[in-house]
Amino acid sequence: MTGDPRIPRAPGLLPDDGASAAPDKPQLRRILKERRRAIDHATKRAWDDRIGARVVAWVQEHDVRMLGVYWPLAGEPDLRPAYADLAEAGVRLALPVVVERDAALGFAAWVPGEATVADSMGVAVPSELRMVDRPDALLVPCLGFDARGYRVGYGGGFYDRTLAAEPRPKTVGIAYACQQVAFEIGKYDIPLDQMITEM
Ligand SMILES: Nc1nc2c(c(=O)[nH]1)N(C=O)[C@@H](CNc1ccc(C(=O)N[C@@H](CCC(=O)O)C(=O)O)cc1)CN2
Ligand SMILES: Nc1ncnc2c1ncn2[C@@H]1O[C@H](COP(=O)(O)OP(=O)(O)OP(=O)(O)O)[C@@H](O)[C@H]1O
């Protein structure tokens, strides 16, 4: 995936060349959250539209029956308009649910427009939980990612644990291009199949 033209080098700080001293993970998470916060509202809306259109095209190309989506948290790309298009095209959707602290994520069926409530972690989940099997493909929100598709998340390890069990679902990392960084890979890290950004 190194050669994917949709994964450009992020400009500025933290070149993804392995040459500079890597900041630690908490520091890296702070930097990445700041970068995301610095994106102005109109730009974010335009980027989210582009990412959403690419997600719809990817889902159609890969014949996905059930897609694990995410409800946007703190500056993550908001792809809810694309979710509505996908549902209309017959794709079943599911939202991730933290069932236990140190476990894989669960997934609950969700239809756009259906009511949600904030769970104990502040993440929106369907008010009425209809749990389903792990979807055949997942959109994975990334706080950071590298050229090989490795991901930095919020640190709970939820997606890593979710992807540990075979057969693995297809995975598409979702992030803005400015979130590409170099970092040290942990032993549980599994690279994503593909990244989709606005670039
Ligand atoms: N949109 C979205 N949903 C998701 C995830 C995610 O990364 N993004 N998750 C991926 O694992 C799971 C939830 N995991 C979470 C892990 C940590 C924190 C957390 O530390 N939140 C901070 C606030 C973060 C911020 O404001 O930037 C906090 O509560 O203090 C939240 C959710 C399932 N759902
Ligand atoms: N497959 C796994 N089995 C057991 N523990 C795991 C597994 N994957 C991750 N973990 C645990 O989760 C912790 C957090 O992982 P990491 O720092 O990679 O989180 P993250 O990918 O940034 O977060 P998240 O996936 O929640 O967004 C790891 O230190 C590890 O202890």
Side-chain angles (χ1 to χ4, degrees):
M1 57 172 306
T2 311
D4 190 328
R6 274 178 291 197
I7 306 179
R9 289 284 197 80
L13 280 170
L14 307 171
D16 191 5
D17 56 9
S20 46
D24 60 28
K25 272 264 179 95
Q27 192 186 349
L28 185 58
R29 289 191 177 100
R30 275 195 303 277
I31 293 168
L32 290 165
K33 284 181 185 176
E34 266 163 39
R35 276 195 193 174
R36 209 164 53 182
R37 259 197 301 273
I39 302 167
D40 74 79
H41 192 71
T43 303
K44 185 179 189 303
R45 286 271 294 272
W47 288 356
D48 291 357
D49 282 350
R50 288 171 64 151
I51 294 170
R54 284 180 183 155
V55 165
V56 171
W58 184 90
V59 167
Q60 284 164 352
E61 264 165 44
H62 290 81
D63 194 29
V64 173
R65 305 289 185 79
M66 197 199 290
L67 179 69
V69 297
Y70 64 88
W71 192 274
L73 262 177
E76 288 173 341
D78 181 355
L79 308 182
R80 286 175 292 179
Y83 302 164
D85 294 346
L86 288 169
E88 211 155 287
V91 179
R92 294 163 65 207
L93 304 177
L95 283 169
V97 179
V98 173
V99 242
E100 253 182 275
R101 273 240 152 234
D102 295 310
L105 292 166
F107 289 89
W110 176 73
V111 178
E114 189 181 338
T116 60
V117 288
D119 72 2
S120 60
M121 314 205 55
V123 183
V125 298
S127 331
E128 218 174 283
L129 290 180
R130 300 183 307 280
M131 300 307 287
V132 294
D133 287 342
R134 193 177 57 171
D136 49 322
L138 299 181
L139 299 186
V140 183
C142 302
L143 185 52
F145 67 98
D146 75 4
R148 292 178 294 171
Y150 284 99
R151 162 179 183 273
V152 180
Y154 292 112
F158 293 109
Y159 278 105
D160 293 321
R161 283 189 297 265
T162 304
L163 297 176
E166 304 270 8
R168 229 164 257 160
K170 294 188 185 90
T171 52
V172 183
I174 304 292
Y176 299 116
C178 62
Q179 291 169 269
Q180 185 173 342
V181 289
F183 54 89
E184 240 170 84
I185 290 154
K187 68 171 172 178
Y188 295 116
D189 290 347
I190 292 164
L192 301 164
D193 296 324
Q194 163 117 36
M195 281 300 308
I196 293 181
T197 73
E198 80 285 4
M199 294 284 285

